Amino acid sequence: MIKKVFYSIVIAIVFFLLISFILPRTVHVERSVDVDRPASTVFALVNGYDTIKTWSPWASRDPWAVYTLSGPANGVGARLEWDGDPRLSGKGWQEITESVPYSLVRMQLKFAQQGMATAYFSIQDQGGSSTLTWGFDADLTKDQSLAGGMVAQYFGLLFDRWIGGDYEIGLANIKALAESLPNVDFSGLEAEVVDAAPMDILFIQSDSSQDPVDLAGTLASAYQEITSFMAENDIQLAAQPMTITRAWSENGYAFDAAIPVVMKDVILTGNIQAGQSPSGPAVRVIHRGPYDRMMPTYEKLSAYMAANGLREGTVSWEHYISDPGKTPGNELVTYIYFQIESDAGGL
């Protein structure tokens, strides 16, 4: 009886070893979902970690896990570390190693107990909508002992079932999040987050309807008064004029027509006031072309901020880099800034 048990164990071990030699050393898991939003919106959601708690299937499962962000806000080098319940999300980190705008984001992952792996998001533009694919690849035997690698190969047979279901949940969450955002394609938008420096300005508080003719006339009158005051008091120009929007509605705008100057001690007259331009974190985009064609740029900027988890502050402003008296309309360059609300983003 003992010999039979012994031989059975030996046979089982031999069988286990033989099977392990033909089992795959690597594992690949992949799931896809169609999203009714442009590729630019989907890319923004997966190209960083600011919104990961909104869509991650593991974040809701382990709500007490601690997440730490480091590196840039998005793109290559953006890093997330997590420390949660070992039975749920565990402990580890992931970092973006490749970022191709609107088509691919690749990450390296390190799990405290299971070792290294790679994951990726592949985005296919479907002309107004997109297909998002989430994939996972791992070498089951890398950095493992011989016995550990064999055991890992057996567990590899279950990876598609284990991870695939979580990926399906995560993709459904990303789809819902993306489709809650503005349906505007902002690919090609020249946008960046900047720390705007304050400038000394002379300005006139104004208001106008949304009629372009009314707005242009109000701005021209205000700039004329400011430039005349500058000439009378020998005040030097420091930069091109600005328009600082303080409030707006369907009925019109409340704004400051402003000119950056080299400030000096003078007595202000008429409607002119002195102060500083808005400063601090802001998203800046470059609009190229006539002033009356800025609305699509504003719509793209608003969609860009929403997709990147950046909340709009109370102030926006335009800085007219080109001199309209010397530059053809199609070549005009305007910097448009949206202030970022200080508590926006983050985990």
Side-chain angles (χ1 to χ4, degrees), residues 318-333:
E318 298 171 0
H319 193 180
Y320 308 112
I321 304 303
S322 303
D323 182 345
K326 302 177 181 179
T327 308
N330 289 333
E331 298 178 13
L332 290 171
V333 174

Side-chain angles (χ1 to χ4, degrees), residues 148-305:
M150 290 179 177
V151 172
Q153 286 175 271
Y154 276 94
F155 278 110
L157 299 175
L158 303 174
F159 262 66
D160 190 79
R161 181 183 301 176
W162 287 345
I163 300 178
D166 288 335
Y167 273 24
E168 290 170 7
I169 294 171
L171 288 172
N173 291 340
I174 295 174
K175 173 181 171 69
L177 177 58
E179 293 178 355
S180 72
L181 299 173
N183 193 4
V184 175
D185 184 3
F186 53 82
S187 60
L189 185 70
E190 298 178 78
E192 63 176 323
V193 176
V194 300
D195 188 10
M199 294 185 287
D200 291 331
I201 58 173
L202 294 175
F203 66 96
I204 293 177
Q205 291 183 335
S206 307
D207 57 73
S208 166
S209 69
Q210 292 191 11
D211 181 2
V213 175
D214 183 22
L215 177 60
T218 302
L219 284 172
S221 177
Y223 290 140
Q224 179 60 47
E225 183 176 347
I226 296 172
T227 53
S228 296
F229 178 82
M230 290 170 60
E232 293 170 1
N233 291 275
D234 194 26
I235 296 175
Q236 295 182 4
L237 179 75
Q240 290 297 104
M242 310 170 69
T243 299
I244 304 167
T245 301
R246 301 294 182 182
W248 65 274
S249 67
E250 294 182 356
N251 297 322
Y253 303 94
F255 58 88
D256 298 337
I259 297 180
V261 298
V262 179
M263 195 66 73
K264 60 189 296 187
D265 189 13
V266 294
I267 297 175
L268 301 177
T269 60
N271 298 311
I272 296 174
Q273 300 181 55
Q276 288 194 316
S277 63
S279 60
V283 175
R284 182 184 71 189
V285 303
I286 302 176
H287 171 80
R288 303 180 188 277
Y291 301 136
D292 60 0
R293 297 181 188 173
M294 286 187 181
M295 187 54 66
T297 302
Y298 271 99
E299 292 173 349
K300 290 180 180 181
L301 172 53
S302 183
Y304 171 91
M305 293 188 70

